[in-house]
Amino acid sequence: MILAVAIMASTDAKAFDVECSEFRPLMQDRQLKRPEKPFCASSYLPFTDSLDFDTCRREVQQFKASVEKYLACVESESKQAVAEYNDVVASFNRRAQQ
């Protein structure tokens, strides 16, 4: 019964995955979508004026913040995958000892 509660808790945590929600096109998807690179940073043309420069700089800063959130999400996903693996191995071992 305790095991069932632990499994349900981990399943519920994945269902309401707030940390990764902005990187999932659909909440039930396991696939993550990387942040979009700002187009302005890869252009070969020079900035037209200071407003153009400042706008692009803000986009790059937003991209940086988004990448940092994405990396935290990937780390969380990695920890969840390891925990899921450990649960499967423990379950297998319990079954093998019966």
Side-chain angles (χ1 to χ4, degrees):
M1 178 147 160
I2 294 173
L3 177 63
V5 172
I7 290 172
M8 287 173 57
S10 67
T11 304
D12 289 343
K14 289 180 191 173
F16 302 107
D17 185 8
V18 177
E19 188 173 34
C20 294
S21 63
E22 73 181 89
F23 306 108
R24 291 188 202 286
L26 301 172
M27 285 302 287
Q28 67 270 18
D29 284 350
R30 292 189 103 170
Q31 196 76 309
L32 298 174
K33 185 174 184 265
R34 285 183 173 190
E36 295 283 332
K37 297 181 231 177
F39 175 75
C40 70
S42 59
S43 176
Y44 292 105
L45 300 173
F47 294 108
T48 56
D49 55 20
S50 62
L51 179 62
D52 188 25
F53 172 83
D54 289 337
T55 301
C56 187
R57 183 170 48 102
R58 277 192 301 278
E59 288 179 25
V60 170
Q61 289 171 337
Q62 289 170 345
F63 177 67
K64 177 184 182 251
S66 190
V67 167
E68 288 170 349
K69 286 176 160 180
Y70 177 78
L71 291 173
C73 166
V74 169
E75 182 180 1
S76 173
E77 287 285 305
S78 175
K79 288 178 182 178
Q80 286 179 6
V82 168
E84 186 175 347
Y85 169 76
N86 289 335
D87 290 345
V88 167
V89 169
S91 178
F92 173 81
N93 288 338
R94 279 190 301 276
R95 187 170 177 213
Q97 292 174 356
Q98 293 178 352

